[in-house]
Amino acid sequence: MRILSGIQPTGTLHIGNYLGAIKQWVELQNSKNFDEKTGCIFIVVDLHSLTVDYDPKQMQKMILDVAMDYLAAGIDPKKNTIFVQSHVKEHAELSWLLQTITPMGELERMTQYKDKSKQNKENINAGLFAYPVLMAADILLYKTTIVPVGDDQAQHVELTREIARKFNNKFGQTFPEPKTQLQKSGARIMSLTNPMQKMSKSIPQGCIFLTDSEQTIREKIKTAVTDSGKEIKFNETNKPAISNLLTIYHLFSGKSIPEIEKNYENKGYGDFKTGLADVVVDNLRKFQENRKKFEKDPELVKKILTQGAKKAQKIAEETMEEVKKKMGLI
Ligand code: ATP
Ligand code: LTN
């Protein structure tokens, strides 16, 4: 079993990134089935983040920020491999090779590509189009079997399976077909200002950032949109806003949704929102305390990333040798 995932250094992480992805990484690391020998691979995918507008002066800080978020959330660098994608050049190399077997039509179907090119009409670059192939390269380079991500990424993992299948058919069995692992509930956290839209860095008003102060968190929850009626009841079709808040409450507190509904029976949205703010503030406090320690010691974080890249590179080189042989390049 090989577990691998990654996040782009495109800005401060929000609770959608945490609840949809990082939280389950920490749970995987602490589970009984965790294999101490192989561990998990967590990448800061900087090459992916170049596909949208960015400020080169900020890039190094953004990369370090995501690495600190991983560590502060509880990813243990002794048990896992944490590194920066561009530090292992085989990612870009394998991506090119896989592009030559990826049909254009498959890439045209990708909803993230369609969304991002709509949002960003002036910068629809070839990298944005080929983005899912680079993601496939990240995954296949380490012969990954499990990819824990939010459900917006499931389509990309599905394409990775197709690319693996195609490669195996053409050049001989090489890659296992990886599976997406979604958080059981709340694989998609919605925006606080629009429950029909996913919580996303590009709409900051609707996000609770992991680094928000207590006051900001309380304010954002207080002003979060709600649905008509007063009942605290989970119903994604008729009450999408309250259902989203219930999911956040459930994932942070560990309490089941029926239990939370019962606790707030005959109480209004105001009480429920105060309770939710308490739970979120409490959970993020520990994360923020941990993060401060890493902020004070960026050299330690850089060292962890250098060691991670070294470990990753060894596996990547082995896979590339096999791939190049099979493709007739050596
Ligand atoms: P954004 O659109 O917010 O900029 P993104 O989807 O482009 O984010 P990343 O920041 O790389 O990209 O996402 C990192 C991880 O967080 C992925 O596993 C993704 O599925 C997950 N994720 C992002 N947003 C949400 C959300 N609203 N709910 C659940 N998971 C999410
Ligand atoms: N596209 C992903 C980030 C990502 C990733 C990966 C996730 C890049 N490479 C490999 C899992 C495995 C996103 O979250 N936007």
Side-chain angles (χ1 to χ4, degrees):
M1 191 163 85
R2 159 79 69 206
I3 299 168
L4 177 145
S5 197
I7 293 185
Q8 303 183 71
T10 45
T12 314
L13 298 193
H14 50 73
I15 60 170
N17 301 127
Y18 177 72
L19 297 174
I22 304 181
K23 185 170 180 276
Q24 45 163 346
W25 303 356
V26 178
E27 284 162 4
L28 276 166
Q29 163 195 283
N30 297 334
S31 75
K32 275 196 291 256
N33 307 342
F34 182 77
D35 182 347
E36 294 267 349
K37 262 208 345 261
T38 49
C40 302
I41 296 178
F42 299 119
I43 318 177
V44 181
V45 289
D46 56 347
L47 297 175
H48 277 104
S49 67
L50 308 181
T51 58
V52 290
D53 292 332
Y54 74 101
D55 177 1
K57 290 195 198 75
Q58 290 298 317
M59 187 50 103
Q60 285 303 309
K61 181 185 178 299
M62 307 265 252
I63 290 171
L64 217 56
D65 271 348
V66 173
M68 283 183 195
D69 287 335
Y70 286 1
L71 296 166
I75 306 286
D76 183 346
K78 290 198 188 80
K79 291 185 179 171
N80 304 291
T81 308
I82 305 174
F83 69 98
V84 181
Q85 185 186 33
S86 68
H87 294 182
V88 180
K89 61 182 184 335
E90 283 79 1
H91 288 252
E93 194 180 6
L94 181 59
S95 174
W96 175 258
L97 300 181
L98 297 179
Q99 278 184 52
T100 65
I101 60 163
T102 307
M104 297 273 283
E106 291 294 324
L107 293 175
E108 276 159 3
R109 283 181 41 241
M110 296 292 116
T111 50
Q112 182 176 292
Y113 169 69
K114 288 194 257 184
D115 289 348
K116 294 216 164 163
S117 39
K118 246 188 244 148
Q119 282 164 19
N120 217 342
K121 288 207 173 67
E122 308 73 47
N123 185 10
I124 308 176
N125 58 77
L128 189 66
F129 188 66
Y131 177 115
V133 191
L134 179 59
M135 179 161 162
D138 298 340
I139 295 170
L140 299 179
L141 196 48
Y142 304 94
K143 303 199 173 181
T144 303
T145 51
I146 293 172
V147 186
V149 280
D151 85 336
D152 59 319
Q153 294 301 315
Q155 195 185 30
H156 290 162
V157 181
E158 196 47 52
L159 176 66
T160 304
R161 293 165 62 81
E162 278 177 47
I163 295 175
R165 219 175 295 140
K166 193 140 184 217
F167 187 98
N168 293 341
N169 284 337
K170 226 174 151 144
F171 302 109
Q173 181 61 37
T174 310
F175 299 119
E177 286 182 33
K179 287 201 174 75
T180 308
Q181 182 165 309
L182 297 177
Q183 186 83 259
K184 276 176 231 75
S185 53
R188 183 171 297 204
I189 301 297
M190 309 313 277
S191 164
L192 296 189
T193 47
N194 177 1
M196 305 317 280
Q197 202 162 40
K198 81 161 192 162
M199 188 176 282
S200 161
K201 283 169 240 165
S202 42
I203 314 160
Q205 325 76 278
C207 292
I208 296 178
F209 293 105
L210 299 184
T211 48
D212 275 348
S213 69
E214 170 166 357
Q215 200 191 347
T216 308
I217 296 171
R218 290 193 184 279
E219 195 55 41
K220 283 181 178 171
I221 293 178
K222 208 166 146 191
T223 53
V225 299
T226 47
D227 312 289
S228 54
K230 281 193 290 241
E231 243 191 335
I232 314 294
K233 204 95 201 126
F234 189 92
N235 181 334
E236 273 180 324
T237 322
N238 297 328
K239 289 174 92 71
I242 288 298
S243 302
N244 185 42
L245 298 181
L246 273 166
T247 301
I248 297 172
Y249 197 127
H250 155 62
L251 289 171
F252 272 123
S253 68
K255 286 190 181 140
S256 72
I257 289 184
E259 195 183 345
I260 305 166
E261 286 171 344
K262 195 150 186 296
N263 289 349
Y264 288 97
E265 222 169 33
N266 305 320
K267 289 186 188 151
Y269 287 160
D271 283 338
F272 172 62
K273 282 181 161 183
T274 308
L276 173 63
D278 290 342
V279 169
V280 176
V281 165
D282 243 27
N283 274 269
L284 292 191
R285 188 173 290 133
K286 191 156 171 270
F287 168 84
Q288 293 180 359
E289 280 166 10
N290 279 342
R291 202 179 192 286
K292 283 207 181 82
K293 287 184 224 153
F294 292 108
E295 282 164 15
K296 282 196 189 121
D297 197 355
E299 287 312 311
L300 170 70
V301 180
K302 286 183 193 161
K303 204 168 132 196
I304 289 169
L305 293 174
T306 309
Q307 283 168 349
K310 234 188 219 162
K311 247 166 85 185
Q313 178 105 42
K314 255 185 90 177
I315 310 172
E317 275 170 11
E318 276 171 28
T319 308
M320 280 316 289
E321 179 156 343
E322 183 184 351
V323 166
K324 282 183 174 169
K325 263 192 196 139
K326 288 196 165 139
M327 291 184 86
L329 293 169
I330 47 175

